[in-house]
Amino acid sequence: MASHVVGYPRMGPKRELKFALESFWDGKSSADELQNVAADLRASIWKQMADAGIKFIPSSTFSYYDQVLDTTAMLGAVPPRYSWNGGEIGFDVYFSMARGNASVPAMEMTKWFDTNYHYIVPELGPDVNFSYASHKAVQEYKEAKALGMETVPVLVGPVSYLLLSKPAKGVEKSFSLLSLIDKIIPVYKEVVAELKAAGATWIQFDEPTLVLDLDSHKLQAFSDAYSELESSLSGLNVLIETYFADVPAETYKILTSLKGVTGFGFDLIRGTKTLDLIKTEFPLGKYLFAGVVDGRNIWANDLASSLTTLQDLAGTVGKDKVVVSTSCSLLHTAVDLENETKLDQEIKSWLAFAAQKVVEVNALAKALSGQKDEAYFSSNAAAQASRKSSPRVTNEAVQKAAAALKGSDHRRATNVSARLDAQQKKLNLPNLPTTTIGSFPQTMDLRRVRREFKAKKISEDDYVKTIKEEINNVVKLQEELDIDVLVHGEPERNDMVEYFGEQLSGFAFTVNGWVQSYGSRCVKPPIIYGDVSRPKAMTVFWSSMAQSMTKRPMKGMLTGPVTILNWSFVRNDQPRFETCYQIALAIKDEVEDLEKAGITVIQIDEAALREGLPLRKSEQDFYLKWAVHSFRITNCGVQDTTQIHTHMCYSNFNDIIHSIIDMDADVITIENSRSDEKLLSVFREGVKYCAGIGPGVYDIHSPRIPSTEEIADRINKMLAVLESNILWVNPDCGLKTRKYSEVKPALSNMVAAAKLLRTQLASAK
């Protein structure tokens, strides 16, 4: 019986690729050294899967930044501003598209479906001259073959690539991206021909957009694209892989009727309704790649339950036609549980990271073929029973408090306009007030001090002294720059979710449970294993200390319940909204303690609210209702004079703008500059926004420093659609990933631009 993995984490068990990338970007190592690290990682990943018994091992899922950018390079779809003159695309052009450079900005970055992974959005138009410009897929297939391993090359499918793109600047927004299908198919044909010549027997096309609500025009484009590819694919086994949700019934019908396709991959964790479609009708003689091992979470598979599902499917499609697979790429989970030497042993027994999930896949495949490992299945059953009965999972007081939330919408008593008036009387801020999002650069020394304190190598007094000095430096810098509403820079925090999770009950933490977010940026999601509560105050000490250093307003900085939920590995034994309400109550306690301590501006970040939006429209309203309600719970009890901020970034917000308004925050700061200011279009279309709003004026994920004139131009665009009395001036996001040599001039230019516009507005009166 066959086994398959959709994709695998790239960073390495100890983030080897991250450090190699950053060394290369900083000019400390060569391209050859970076490529050598990457080659070693690829070899180890392929060997690990081969040793585990996986038959269908993916190749070309490795990436130096992201797989969509790899496809842009493959198609030669480089925007003109990067001055590419043809030929094989190298690191200079590739990383300029991803990160920008001294003279031009990066391409837009946005969330990959409903995950915390990001991709670089292709910029396309009728004048793009597509050409085969990156041979990465073929090179990696040959690389694996030279090591003695047969792999399945993976490509982002042509339809998903176009649907995940956007019209380039200057191209009509109404331009049909799918009209380019005939221009990119020839490049795909060249890639396929090279793979066939290299000896490939299987090829995997990832078409995740098939889980979306696609209209008949888009479905026809999909059908036409694969019909056009059919003759080129002759002689190859073709797998079309979908993931992240159910495949709609009409899409399923069109997909499974395609000629020339050997197998179909489905996410049967988040796409349980697809099971009914498969059982009703599945094409005779085709392979079903059954995604029964969760690629998005870290809980050990319930092997007995999965085996029952697989046996049912085998009865429908034939045992020899079922391939056991992951639900999606394992990119979205941590790498290897064996690296977790400090994790509580009981909790550890409940978990499976990528390396363990590969073993689960093969164990299920062998069991389906009659070679069940009884000891392995018995151990798994014991862990499942332990988790269900463990007293550490349940807190009756928390469950009772969360249940009592029903029946109220938890809105503040006064409308936002009246609250803003009361807040302005207290804060006395200028027009176009300036602020930052929260974090300031995290230096190597700062990271070292946090590590040493965690390892108990320095005393708490020494730790507090160091962090206090850092906060004082950040406060002084902001005062020198003349920023209006300050932040303390978050020097005590490695990660905005991890920091809070460490202080809440019901959370567990890993040492090496890193997951790629974008480029070299990795996060270490907490594990929510039980009911959540706040034993004691989490931020009051640091926020009060920071406020004592200045007469200007100092923001209290919190992460919101929806973001904590969406950026964690969440328990799967109760509905997500119940866990979110528990977190909301914990954050509510913290908000009220900050207010009592004299903090008059409190930011509750909900960077990931849009990220969690279900992919199917029929499920979105329910999610938005409980997500927005959770945010309101956190601050419903504060006084009118306490200003509540929230922050969102790197998603498409236009389609949920009314839910954002319904959050009833006093001020929202929101990513805007890297996405070509498309957020502003929603206001041009007539949406009235009465609260304070700060669309980001420059992209912090690029080292590029914007000029005063550039920022002023962006503010003017905002003033064309927003009233000056509600507009704030701020960067797109936190500054943690940047260097002070970049931050200081960028913020200086930002403040100068705000002052310039204030003068112009005053003289226009």
Side-chain angles (χ1 to χ4, degrees), residues 463-596:
Y463 172 72
V464 169
K465 181 182 177 182
T466 301
I467 298 299
K468 183 177 181 180
E469 287 174 358
E470 181 68 19
I471 292 172
N472 192 45
N473 291 337
V474 168
V475 170
K476 282 183 177 177
L477 172 61
Q478 292 171 92
E479 288 185 329
E480 289 168 7
L481 291 167
D482 205 16
I483 292 173
D484 300 303
V485 176
L486 310 190
V487 297
H488 75 288
E490 303 177 8
E492 80 284 13
R493 308 178 194 183
N494 178 59
D495 176 87
M496 61 189 285
V497 174
E498 183 181 3
Y499 175 80
F500 289 98
E502 285 178 337
Q503 300 181 78
L504 295 168
S505 63
F507 282 74
F509 294 87
T510 63
V511 174
N512 289 299
W514 298 100
V515 179
Q516 186 181 13
S517 178
Y518 63 87
S520 68
R521 168 76 171 145
C522 298
V523 294
K524 200 164 48 169
I527 298 165
I528 305 178
Y529 67 84
D531 291 333
V532 178
S533 62
R534 185 197 73 145
K536 61 180 181 180
M538 301 179 286
T539 65
V540 175
F541 174 76
W542 299 115
S543 292
S544 299
M545 176 190 290
Q547 183 63 81
S548 71
M549 297 174 179
T550 181
K551 293 181 179 179
R552 301 186 186 210
M554 173 65 63
K555 284 197 275 190
M557 300 300 304
L558 305 175
T559 302
V562 185
T563 296
I564 290 177
L565 183 87
N566 286 335
W567 285 357
S568 298
F569 291 125
V570 183
R571 58 190 293 190
N572 58 1
D573 58 346
Q574 70 177 16
R576 288 172 71 87
F577 71 85
E578 290 187 13
T579 303
C580 198
Y581 283 156
Q582 293 178 1
I583 302 169
L585 286 172
I587 299 299
K588 180 176 186 289
D589 289 344
E590 187 71 13
V591 168
E592 291 171 4
D593 279 352
L594 281 169
E595 185 182 56
K596 289 173 188 172

Side-chain angles (χ1 to χ4, degrees), residues 226-259:
Y226 283 90
S227 294
E228 180 62 28
L229 280 169
E230 187 179 336
S231 60
S232 299
L233 293 168
S234 177
L236 275 174
N237 292 295
V238 178
L239 165 63
I240 296 183
E241 185 67 51
T242 69
Y243 36 80
F244 296 153
D246 287 298
V247 175
E250 185 60 27
T251 304
Y252 176 85
K253 184 178 178 181
I254 290 171
L255 170 61
T256 54
S257 65
L258 287 177
K259 296 177 182 178

Side-chain angles (χ1 to χ4, degrees), residues 722-739:
L722 294 164
E723 297 295 329
S724 62
N725 65 331
I726 64 168
L727 186 61
W728 285 63
V729 177
N730 47 263
D732 264 351
C733 203
L735 304 170
K736 175 165 61 177
T737 60
R738 300 269 54 90
K739 300 172 183 175

Side-chain angles (χ1 to χ4, degrees), residues 1-120:
M1 195 59 56
S3 51
H4 167 252
V5 173
V6 177
Y8 202 81
R10 309 155 181 158
M11 284 288 122
K14 295 185 179 178
R15 296 180 292 163
E16 292 88 342
L17 182 61
K18 167 191 171 66
F19 298 121
L21 281 167
E22 291 173 355
S23 177
F24 174 70
W25 292 337
D26 289 343
K28 296 176 181 176
S29 60
S30 67
D32 285 346
E33 289 172 305
L34 173 58
Q35 289 168 331
N36 288 339
V37 170
D40 288 345
L41 281 172
R42 287 193 294 268
S44 117
I45 289 167
W46 293 327
K47 184 178 186 302
Q48 182 181 8
M49 285 190 267
D51 290 348
I54 300 299
K55 178 179 179 181
F56 297 109
I57 298 171
S59 62
S60 73
T61 57
F62 182 91
S63 179
Y64 288 104
Y65 213 90
D66 97 81
Q67 67 272 22
V68 179
L69 182 62
D70 292 346
T71 310
T72 294
M74 182 186 84
L75 295 169
V78 181
R81 66 180 177 274
Y82 299 109
S83 303
W84 174 60
N85 296 315
E88 188 79 4
I89 290 174
F91 282 157
D92 282 354
V93 172
Y94 182 87
F95 288 129
S96 289
M97 289 193 287
R99 307 177 71 239
N101 57 43
S103 57
V104 292
M107 295 166 70
E108 180 186 351
M109 181 169 68
T110 197
K111 295 289 174 72
W112 177 247
F113 293 84
D114 58 346
T115 75
N116 187 31
Y117 180 72
H118 301 66
Y119 74 96
I120 303 298

